[in-house]
């Protein structure tokens, strides 16, 4: 994501999707099943990214945000990388009105280029638990969890996936710093999304190998 660009045209999104497919990676997104929804498409990463960026750069929330990011990343947390991504988010926030234009068409594009990559989540957001998954090649079955717990939901994040993407998309030894920044950016956006969707009282569960 280049904050110097006025917006992300659909052809840029198409290039990104083709890059994923070329590397054998499966891009994905989701809609939801709220038929009366008229103000968005049901994917927070698209509908609400401007709100996520606002929360991530809020001076009153940045300490909490940084603490949670550090908790997830452990020894791999790097303060300079955190500040660099935060600065890019501030630049993006200043251009959000134009940068996020046409975002409603992104999932249609994804559906066309990568069939069956867009799932449908059931119900509104009722998160009762945050689950960070470190186990490679696994993910949480969100709808099954909701079915088994009376409609309650878990906020799930596959942190292993961010690391896999970094290693696949940025494989060169000279790109090591870029890999770390890539993972940092994804973790920061995920934590900010969690802060948007919840009130900060959710238990945090880590699923680790073994």
């Amino acid at each position: 994501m280049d904050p110097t660009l006025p917006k992300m045209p659909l052809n840029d999104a198409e290039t990104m999707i083709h890059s994923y497919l070329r590397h054998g990676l499966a891009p994905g997104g989701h809609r939801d099943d709220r038929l009366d929804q008229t103000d968005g498409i049901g994917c927070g990463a698209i509908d609400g990214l401007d709100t996520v960026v606002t929360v991530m750069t809020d001076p009153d929330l940045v300490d909490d945000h940084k603490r949670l990011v550090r908790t997830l990343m452990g020894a791999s947390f790097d303060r300079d990388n955190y500040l660099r991504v935060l600065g890019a988010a501030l630049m993006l926030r200043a251009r959000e009105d134009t940068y996020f234009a046409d975002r409603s068409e992104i999932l249609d594009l994804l559906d066309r280029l990568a069939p069956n990559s867009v799932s449908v989540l059931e119900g509104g957001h009722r998160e009762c638990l945050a689950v960070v998954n470190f186990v490679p090649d696994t993910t949480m079955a969100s709808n099954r969890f909701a079915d088994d717990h009376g409609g309650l939901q878990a906020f799930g994040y596959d942190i292993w996936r961010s690391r896999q993407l970094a290693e696949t998309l940025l494989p060169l030894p000279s790109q090591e710093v870029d890999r770390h920044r890539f993972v940092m950016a994804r973790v920061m956006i995920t934590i900010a999304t969690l802060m948007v969707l919840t009130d900060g009282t959710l238990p945090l569960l880590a699923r680790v190998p073994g």
Side-chain angles (χ1 to χ4, degrees), residues 157-178:
Y157 173 46
D158 296 327
I159 194 169
W160 65 266
R161 176 67 166 169
S162 294
R163 294 170 176 169
Q164 179 194 58
L165 290 174
E167 293 169 0
T168 303
L169 298 172
L170 303 164
L172 301 178
S174 60
Q175 295 174 310
E176 180 178 4
V177 172
D178 292 331

Side-chain angles (χ1 to χ4, degrees), residues 8 107 130 132 160 182 188 190-191:
M8 176 182 281
L107 281 191
V132 181
W160 65 266
F182 180 93
M188 289 174 66
T190 298
I191 291 299

Side-chain angles (χ1 to χ4, degrees), residues 129-133 140 145 154-158 203-207:
L129 182 69
V131 180
V132 181
N133 179 24
M140 169 169 272
F145 179 89
F155 181 97
Y157 173 46
D158 296 327
L204 176 64
L205 176 67
R207 184 170 184 261

